[in-house]
Amino acid sequence: MNAPSQQPSSAVLTLSRKEDFKVFCDAPARAQPPTLSRDELEVLATADRHAYNRARREWHANLGPIRTPQLAALHEDLWDIVDSNLQDGDRAKGAVAVDAFPGLGKTTAVLAFAREFHRREIAEHGAFTAQGHERWPVCRVGLTGNTGMKDLNRAMLEFFGHPGRQTSTAAQLGLQALDCVLSCDVRLLVLDDLHFLKWRKTSGIEVSNHLKWIANEFPVTLLKVGVGLATKGLFSEGETAGETVLAQTGRRTTRLDMPPFTIDTGQGRHHWRQLLLALEQRLVLADKYPGMLADGLSDYLFARSTGHIGSLMTLINRGCQRAQRTGAERLTLDLLDQVKNDEAAEHARRELECALQSGKATSRPRRARATRR
């Protein structure tokens, strides 16, 4: 049994419930295991070696989030919007939608922001409201393809553990959700995977209307996260009656993006190199060396990830697990060639590899190429 002072393992948390979300927000930064040499690894007792290797496995599986330029820019925009939403209760607050392709780290970035916001609000206002209720600055809800108005309300009540979430009508659920938001002083409502909604179907219009009601009645900033929200009509003006409803939602929503890394400019190549250098510092492998990623594998890693940080982190994580398990203790082209990555990255890598290998493109800044030569 864990000691009383230990936090529950983050691996078994679900962020759709407030208790687990609090653990996520309050957890201290994960401590990076020390990098031991091969000689130091050899003299470890069996139990100590198992414990060390387990710590390394968990560390490499949780390398992020890394404060990339994309994440930093998104957070600055989010702070602008959230901090400006201090209007009185009779005025609707502006919403925000993080709309980006898969694998670019949008959910990771949004959760990192939600954690910072939660911590700030608790630090400034305390863990309890003036009425003695628990303060929950953030409510996070994950949507599914079948989410309707009642499902959305129930999901909000599920976050708070409200006893009426299983038996109430749709209207009652909405009012109960409003009561929870008001009582717990919620300021940020995160709706993840918004693209699962079928916006131009009946349920999508229903939820869009409901979101407008939330924006009018709930003193919160709506933070929507999804893929292809623009193409689904969230921001379109529309001409039919149903599309006009969606357009009203779009008028109140600011769209933010999470672009991939690119190597067609000097600045893009510099940002890519800085990311690889930051990753190098976080790897716990006995034979790692400066420039292992940023110099020796820069082009290869860009081709394997196509500039998507999600694909890159998956590849690095799996490569470190193999390097540790096999005793290689470093990342090499031969080792990473044996590691499978997500299908989208594998499908897109061939064209990039040809351009990089032929010299038509490079991921390394000019100064780094000159130094390497």
Side-chain angles (χ1 to χ4, degrees), residues 328-347:
E329 291 295 338
R330 69 167 61 181
L331 297 182
T332 65
L333 189 150
D334 288 340
L335 181 142
L336 289 173
D337 264 344
Q338 302 173 55
V339 176
K340 304 297 187 295
N341 207 0
D342 63 87
E343 178 59 24
E346 293 297 327
H347 180 74

Side-chain angles (χ1 to χ4, degrees), residues 52-124:
Y52 178 68
N53 285 335
R54 179 175 178 80
R56 288 201 293 172
R57 290 197 301 271
E58 293 180 351
W59 171 257
H60 290 137
N62 296 277
L63 288 174
I66 294 177
R67 191 169 177 79
T68 63
Q70 294 92 326
L71 183 144
L74 177 68
H75 280 198
E76 287 301 314
D77 289 334
L78 288 174
W79 282 120
D80 288 344
I81 295 168
V82 172
D83 285 347
S84 66
N85 276 349
L86 295 177
Q87 298 92 338
D88 293 336
D90 61 336
R91 299 177 60 188
K93 294 172 170 48
V96 56
V98 180
D99 184 14
F101 290 113
L104 295 175
K106 57 186 177 299
T107 295
T108 299
V110 166
L111 287 176
F113 174 82
R115 175 165 50 193
E116 291 180 24
F117 181 76
H118 173 94
R119 289 173 172 175
R120 189 190 75 172
E121 292 297 292
I122 296 298
E124 290 184 355

